[in-house]
Amino acid sequence: MAFLVFFLSNLVLTLFAAIITTFISPAAAGSGIPEVKAYLNGVDAPGIISLRTLIVKIIGSISAVSSSLLVGKAGPMMHIGACIASFLGQGGSRRYGLTWKWIRFFKNDRDRRDLVTCGSAAGIAAAFRAPVGGVLFALEEMASWWTSGLLWRAFFTTAVVAIILRALIDVCLSGKCGLFGKGGLIMFDVYSANISYHMADVPPVLLLGVVGGILGSLYNFLLDKVLRVYAIINKKSVTYKIFIACTISIFTSCLLFGLPWLASCQPCPLDSTEDCPTIGRSGNYKKFQCPPGHYNDLASLIFNTNDDAIRNLFSKNTDAEFQHSTMLIFFVTCFILSIISYGVVAPAGLFVPVIVTGASYGRFVGMLFSSHTNLNHGLFAVLGAASFLGGSMRMTVSLCVIILELTNNLLLLPMIMIVLLVSKTVADAFNGNIYDLIMKAKGFPYLEVHVEPYMRQLTVADVVTGPLQVCHGNEKVGNIVHILKTTNHQGFPVIDEPPHSESPVLYGLILRAHLITLLKKRVFLRTPVRIGSDAFRHFSADEFAKKGLGNVDKIEDIKLTEEEMEMFLDLHPFTNASPYTVVETMSLAKASTLFREVGLRHLLVIPKRTTGSPVVGILTRHDFMPEHVLGLHPLLVNSKWKPLRIALPRFLKIF
């Protein structure tokens, strides 16, 4: 009967999360960290931070985490914070009648980007009750552009989060809020004033970091492969998405309910500070099917929330609580379930599953070295979680501070720093961090900080592809409509030719959205003449502001008569007359650095000589992607590894 209740409740919750995600907002699936990271890099994929995604993320995350799937809440909470920030940054939502005029001052790309960065920091701060860690996470992992002004804004945001969390925890201390009010701002308090470690404790910690880096890279590799398999299956139909989610839920329920039968019952410790066996929902000593006065250590980890499982693993003075076989079984189970659970079509985070898996691995290592070290098993669990986080996510400073804020264990700071650095260094030798791999699998054109070495061998002219669509300063309406209907480009060069200029010259760049706005207002001329600044009398600034999701005008919605198609538009007043340009002989590596650092969407390429067309082409972020460059120049594929082939024999010769 217990299994039936456990099985059906998990299945219903998983099915509910999968259905609302599939049919209402597919963009809400996953953790949301790769999507928001790509958005902050300049990738504006539809639906990533919409109001619909926000609602599904909140409801779906609660349902998925409650369904016993090994998924976390930190990633979804970060995504929720980013969605709220974007919602405020675009002035609300006209579709749902939620707009405020005073917020329109933030309705530009730069302020919206900064708000989303602050929102992501707030989400991590709320998830882990770690305000400083949230700021550093946004700085180290999320933001592609960072300023001192953004730093204090993010710090202010997370400070407000901490104050509100503290106030709500005080309200909930009466016990009416379930487990929310337990533990204060320190989620896993493992502080111990008598921690002492010596040089003899360093080798096991270093080994922990090395193995954690190897396991983290293996975890990333397997998760990437599983996600690609899921992507192929999910493309077939909606039914397959929901079927996979239900299958994973059934498998998880059977596994979690069956595994505790493999563990033997342990007698309750005589010096325990809490009831044994545990009475209630949380605790270290679950009875399961054991006789009175005994507990099942594996059930104590499985039949708990993820937070309570981590608290059990981190707990001090419990070295005799868990068996070796229990830790090994729990580690393998978490490792497998966290990989296969993340790909289901439901909001799911990776942070907490990685912490649980790393803590179980660290505690197992602590058991093996218990006779050779002064550190207790709970501290080894903390270091194991740090090593697995470093090996999987490849962050250092932010993870270090988050772990310190989670555990209130400042005395362990040097060990945590060493473990994170070692695990990250080892894992970097195999593959990239997990969020970069997910972004690549989803096809986001993310621009890295460092360019590929082979880009220094190319010029921008080598990657420019055509045909190039240009507009004239005084362009016929019919030509503009034809260009907009036959291309998907978001920006077009504007050129002037005789008799409007002495020779063909590049005037600037105009956006697709602005052309559609001009066509929609029908400010047409019967003759191709320049009207100057008088054109702005027909427009307001809001009409050229970036539209929110769902409010984007389409060229197909604009109906023009034959007479209007023969008229003209003066594009000069609405053109960006000072776009960024590079000469066609410029290094592709330098152009890529310029494109990313300035945060451009379009980069115009002009000829070195003034004869002929005044513009060679236009570069977007897709032109800097390795797949595009190597597709145009396949011979560079081998040259990518040439420096390694030269350096490796020299490196081996030294030894």
Side-chain angles (χ1 to χ4, degrees):
M1 191 64 183
F3 172 72
L4 188 62
V5 173
F6 182 69
F7 168 82
L8 289 179
S9 60
N10 290 343
L11 183 61
V12 170
L13 288 168
T14 303
L15 183 62
F16 175 71
I19 288 175
I20 63 172
T21 305
T22 301
F23 291 103
I24 300 178
S25 179
S31 72
I33 291 179
E35 288 82 358
V36 176
K37 183 178 179 180
Y39 175 84
L40 293 175
N41 188 257
V43 181
D44 196 4
I48 286 180
I49 46 180
S50 66
L51 181 61
R52 183 180 297 180
T53 301
L54 169 64
I55 296 172
V56 173
K57 202 78 177 184
I58 294 173
I59 301 174
S61 178
I62 294 171
S63 181
V65 172
S66 305
S67 68
S68 294
L69 291 177
L70 195 60
V71 296
K73 62 183 180 181
M77 288 193 70
M78 187 283 312
H79 197 178
I80 290 168
C83 289
I84 295 173
S86 175
F87 179 71
L88 296 175
Q90 66 185 20
S93 173
R94 291 184 181 179
R95 173 185 292 183
Y96 301 102
L98 302 173
T99 56
W100 301 274
K101 288 185 177 180
W102 63 273
I103 302 182
R104 71 178 185 271
F105 298 107
F106 302 106
K107 201 171 182 180
N108 59 77
D109 289 330
R110 185 185 63 184
D111 286 337
R112 191 185 299 184
R113 182 189 70 203
D114 289 351
L115 282 170
V116 170
T117 305
C118 293
S120 63
I124 293 296
F128 293 118
R129 306 177 193 176
V132 179
V135 175
L136 293 176
F137 179 85
L139 167 62
E140 185 175 2
E141 180 65 18
M142 302 302 298
S144 294
W145 299 277
W146 194 268
T147 62
S148 57
L150 179 58
L151 178 63
W152 75 260
R153 291 188 186 102
F155 187 73
F156 171 79
T157 306
T158 57
V160 173
V161 170
I163 293 171
I164 294 177
L165 268 174
R166 180 68 263 177
L168 292 176
I169 289 173
D170 287 342
V171 172
C172 289
L173 285 178
S174 60
K176 297 179 180 179
C177 303
L179 302 177
F180 177 77
K182 303 290 182 66
L185 283 177
I186 308 299
M187 294 183 70
F188 313 119
D189 194 351
V190 297
Y191 175 76
S192 178
N194 58 1
I195 295 177
S196 61
Y197 45 86
H198 308 284
M199 290 303 297
D201 300 319
V202 175
V205 172
L206 291 177
L207 177 64
L208 197 71
V210 172
V211 179
I214 296 173
L215 289 175
S217 61
L218 176 63
Y219 182 87
N220 291 2
F221 172 78
L222 294 176
L223 183 59
D224 180 50
K225 298 301 180 184
V226 169
L227 289 179
R228 292 181 184 276
V229 172
Y230 282 170
I232 295 172
I233 299 174
N234 290 340
K235 287 179 181 178
K236 294 183 177 181
S237 70
V238 172
T239 308
Y240 282 92
K241 294 182 180 181
I242 299 176
F243 176 76
I244 289 177
C246 293
T247 302
I248 298 300
S249 175
I250 294 171
F251 175 74
T252 301
S253 298
C254 295
L255 192 65
L256 295 184
F257 200 90
L259 283 175
W261 297 94
L262 300 178
S264 59
C265 295
Q266 301 293 309
C268 291
L270 299 177
D271 57 347
S272 173
T273 57
E274 61 177 273
D275 294 333
C276 180
T278 299
I279 300 173
R281 289 171 291 184
S282 61
N284 278 24
Y285 306 103
K286 294 287 185 180
K287 183 180 177 182
F288 199 59
Q289 299 296 332
C290 293
H294 292 71
Y295 71 96
N296 188 308
D297 54 350
L298 187 53
S300 301
L301 295 173
I302 289 178
F303 291 104
N304 255 327
T305 64
N306 286 333
D307 289 350
D308 285 331
I310 296 171
R311 192 174 288 109
N312 290 352
L313 291 169
F314 284 179
S315 58
K316 54 181 179 283
N317 302 323
T318 56
D319 287 3
E321 181 180 333
F322 299 104
Q323 305 173 74
H324 289 72
S325 59
T326 296
M327 280 295 99
L328 186 59
I329 292 173
F330 188 68
F331 164 68
V332 175
T333 302
C334 292
F335 191 90
I336 295 173
L337 288 183
S338 61
I339 290 175
I340 64 175
S341 298
Y342 182 78
V344 300
V345 57
L350 281 172
F351 245 106
V352 174
V354 169
I355 292 176
V356 175
T357 307
S360 58
Y361 145 72
R363 189 152 187 135
F364 179 72
V365 173
M367 291 177 176
L368 297 179
F369 285 92
S370 58
S371 60
H372 304 285
T373 178
N374 296 319
L375 301 179
N376 63 57
H377 297 175
L379 297 179
F380 263 101
V382 175
L383 295 174
S387 71
F388 203 63
L389 282 168
S392 176
M393 300 183 180
R394 314 294 164 82
M395 291 175 278
T396 51
V397 180
S398 58
L399 286 180
C400 184
V401 173
I402 287 174
I403 293 172
L404 291 179
E405 290 185 288
L406 279 174
T407 60
N408 191 29
N409 200 334
L410 191 61
L411 295 176
L412 210 59
L413 175 62
M415 290 294 190
I416 294 175
M417 294 173 65
I418 292 174
V419 163
L420 284 171
L421 289 171
V422 171
S423 61
K424 171 181 164 53
T425 304
V426 171
D428 280 338
F430 298 98
N431 49 31
N433 80 56
I434 187 61
Y435 297 127
D436 287 349
L437 293 177
I438 294 174
M439 281 194 299
K440 188 174 181 180
K442 292 191 173 185
F444 293 138
Y446 185 85
L447 289 176
E448 299 287 352
V449 178
H450 303 290
V451 299
E452 297 288 347
Y454 57 80
M455 286 188 177
R456 299 185 180 92
Q457 306 173 28
L458 301 173
T459 64
V460 292
D462 294 326
V463 298
V464 170
T465 56
L468 179 65
Q469 298 287 349
V470 300
C471 294
H472 296 85
N474 291 95
E475 187 63 270
K476 184 180 287 188
V477 173
N479 293 343
I480 296 176
V481 172
H482 175 74
I483 291 174
L484 294 178
K485 285 187 175 181
T486 56
T487 67
N488 293 320
H489 305 322
Q490 300 300 313
F492 303 93
V494 177
I495 62 174
D496 277 334
E497 292 182 334
H500 302 289
S501 63
E502 295 181 359
S503 60
V505 61
L506 174 66
Y507 184 80
L509 180 78
I510 190 166
L511 298 179
R512 181 187 192 89
H514 294 176
L515 287 174
I516 293 177
T517 300
L518 294 176
L519 293 175
K520 193 176 180 181
K521 293 291 287 189
R522 289 175 165 80
V523 188
F524 302 147
L525 304 170
R526 296 191 178 277
T527 57
V529 295
R530 298 185 66 162
I531 57 176
S533 59
D534 292 340
F536 293 111
R537 291 187 291 107
H538 304 281
F539 299 91
S540 64
D542 288 342
E543 290 179 284
F544 288 99
K546 186 175 181 179
K547 303 291 191 300
L549 183 70
N551 298 321
V552 179
D553 296 319
K554 298 180 180 179
I555 184 62
E556 290 78 13
D557 299 332
I558 301 175
K559 307 300 180 184
L560 300 173
T561 64
E562 290 293 334
E563 182 182 1
E564 289 174 328
M565 296 285 277
E566 295 299 322
M567 299 176 77
F568 294 87
L569 263 175
D570 181 18
L571 303 181
H572 293 96
F574 312 100
T575 300
N576 174 14
S578 56
Y580 281 89
T581 61
V582 294
V583 183
E584 60 181 340
T585 56
M586 184 179 189
S587 166
L588 183 61
K590 289 183 178 180
S592 177
T593 303
L594 171 68
F595 194 94
R596 188 186 189 279
E597 293 300 323
V598 183
L600 300 177
R601 288 200 183 103
H602 307 94
L603 183 61
L604 297 177
V605 181
I606 59 176
K608 190 170 184 178
R609 296 180 177 83
T610 56
T611 58
S613 174
V615 58
V616 175
I618 186 168
L619 295 175
T620 63
R621 63 175 48 242
H622 291 277
D623 295 307
F624 296 103
M625 292 295 105
E627 296 80 7
H628 173 74
V629 177
L630 296 177
L632 294 175
H633 305 279
L635 294 178
L636 292 175
V637 175
N638 294 328
S639 67
K640 285 175 59 179
W641 305 102
K642 186 176 180 181
L644 181 62
R645 291 200 305 267
I646 296 174
L648 188 59
R650 295 176 181 175
F651 178 78
L652 295 175
K653 189 176 180 180
I654 296 175
F655 296 94

